[in-house]
Amino acid sequence: MDMSVFDLFKIGIGPSSSHTVGPMVAARRFLVECGALDDAVGIEAHLYGSLALTGVGHATDKAVILGLMGETPQGVDPDSVEDKLDAAQLDGEIHLLGVKAVPFSAKTNLFWHKTIALPGHPNGMRFVLKFADGRMVERTFYSIGGGFITAEGESGAQADAQPSTPVPYPFDTMRELLEHGRRHGLSIPYMLRANECARMSDAELDAGLDKIWRVMRECIAHGLVTEGQLPGGLNVRRRAARLWKQEQDALLAGSRRNELPHDALNQVSLYAMAVNEENAAGGRVVTAPTNGAAGIIPAVLRYYAEDCRPSDPVRGVRDFLLTSAAIGMLCKRNASISGAEIGCQGEVGVACAMAAAGLVAALGGTNEQIENAAEIGIEHHLGMTCDPIGGLVQIPCIERNGMGAIKAITAASLALKGDGTHFVSLDNVIETMRQTGADMQAKYKETSLGGLAIHVVTVNHAAC
């Protein structure tokens, strides 16, 4: 397993890791690999399959343009995006990688192939760079979930891998990871830390993990105070800030203090929804493991840090992230984390499993309890479709994150109350998720051609 914790947790912008982050990375990479741009006279971008069908709602067009400008998901200022795009539209040109101006219009240089899917993945894109002497350079890329990309002819393993570095505890299945733990008497977070430190120093790893948690906290905090309407045309109003204010006002007034079980859980749901409202608005988020499911892990982490009274919260948060990354790596390698490939079970389901496993690790659970929690998290999301209304990462995505966070805490609680013995292994449930995704009709896999995406539109039209 050559993936790193920082492959699973990437700082970027919303609203989608596969439809925004991936295409931005691919567009920039294409131009970088083209080399000298002095004689370039034009650029085309062709979007296929799910990228074409839901690309407008997922801001794929904007992401591609930003990538061609040389912007990166982690580097671009979310508040500057619209100004950059407006300037390009007004000028009728873009500066490739920020240096070479060529004529460009989204209407004539971006092509949406909604009825064509490329063979490598539902999220396909092709770039064409034209030169003054008539030459053209073309290359096809796929956005394969979680911000990962691969070029045509490149295997998924090649695309995802860190530079190959021997690690002390290699694993491709949970069975192998558990075997290492039993043989050496080590915990999963310890082994993941050792693997990461084969690539970087202990201090670098901790600094990176702390930064991920800081960005997650900031995202929650911003989402809990930001009101207004989300972009995209559905006129969805943010709810997290208003509900959070009601919660805090009631607590300050002393009118109640978690009188019912759902009062305590309500805060966790609001943390997750706050993150995904930020994501839907194109704000700064951490892909965890995708943008559509980015709220679950931050919500459960904040629950751990504030409500579980940890004796060493810094270490606990780091163990949480390392352990949850291990689960994400296994899901990505042996199934998928792409909604366009296997539905939302691969996004919200995987994030739930990651959060459940991370929480058990942070609370000192055994390796077997960690596996049990992750298995529960995925098992109870099997078959979940990806059917966003209007192609926007809003309905049902925002609420699904709130529910996924609650399920993660429940899964962790069930696992911690047992001894780790369970009937279905994590490896088996990941394979079941993969097969379920393969059997799922394409209209339920991030195409907005089925499920809620068309039922709600049909109902609304009938009411008009």
Side-chain angles (χ1 to χ4, degrees), residues 3 42 61 93 116 125 129 178 266 283 286 302 353 404 418 422:
M3 275 182 277
D61 48 348
E93 64 179 22
I116 304 173
M125 63 199 109
L129 182 63
L178 291 174
N266 182 50
V286 175
R302 180 161 168 173
H422 54 288

Side-chain angles (χ1 to χ4, degrees), residues 6 24 73 103 112 175 266 280 308 326 330 353 360 384 407 413 420 453:
F6 301 115
M24 190 186 305
W112 306 85
R175 182 183 62 80
N266 182 50
C308 294
L330 290 170
V360 170
M384 179 176 278
K407 283 186 175 182
S413 177

Side-chain angles (χ1 to χ4, degrees), residues 156-199:
Q158 288 174 317
D160 301 346
Q162 294 284 308
S164 183
T165 303
V167 296
Y169 307 106
F171 66 98
D172 289 324
T173 64
M174 177 54 83
R175 182 183 62 80
E176 293 174 350
L177 191 55
L178 291 174
E179 277 289 317
H180 285 308
R182 284 190 284 265
R183 185 179 306 118
H184 302 287
L186 299 174
S187 70
I188 288 175
Y190 182 96
M191 291 185 287
L192 264 291
R193 172 173 287 276
N195 285 354
E196 293 293 331
C197 287
R199 307 181 180 101

Side-chain angles (χ1 to χ4, degrees), residues 336-396:
S336 175
I337 57 172
S338 167
E341 193 169 20
I342 64 170
C344 199
Q345 60 176 354
E347 298 200 33
V348 165
V350 171
C352 176
M354 292 170 67
L359 181 57
V360 170
L363 293 174
T366 66
N367 291 349
E368 288 73 21
Q369 288 172 324
I370 289 169
E371 187 217 7
N372 190 194
E375 180 272 325
I376 294 170
I378 292 179
E379 184 177 52
H380 297 288
H381 285 91
L382 288 174
M384 179 176 278
T385 59
C386 184
D387 50 353
I389 296 174
L392 297 163
V393 193
Q394 297 178 19
I395 304 172

Side-chain angles (χ1 to χ4, degrees), residues 27-82:
R28 185 179 185 278
R29 176 180 158 184
F30 168 69
L31 290 178
V32 169
E33 293 180 351
C34 282
L37 301 174
D38 295 346
D39 296 328
V41 294
I43 186 78
E44 291 180 357
H46 297 256
L47 304 170
Y48 298 86
S50 178
L51 288 184
L53 288 164
T54 63
V56 173
H58 286 64
T60 306
D61 48 348
K62 298 178 180 180
V64 166
I65 295 170
L66 290 169
L68 294 175
M69 291 176 175
E71 298 288 352
T72 64
Q74 67 272 21
V76 67
D77 178 3
D79 293 332
S80 72
V81 165
E82 293 304 323

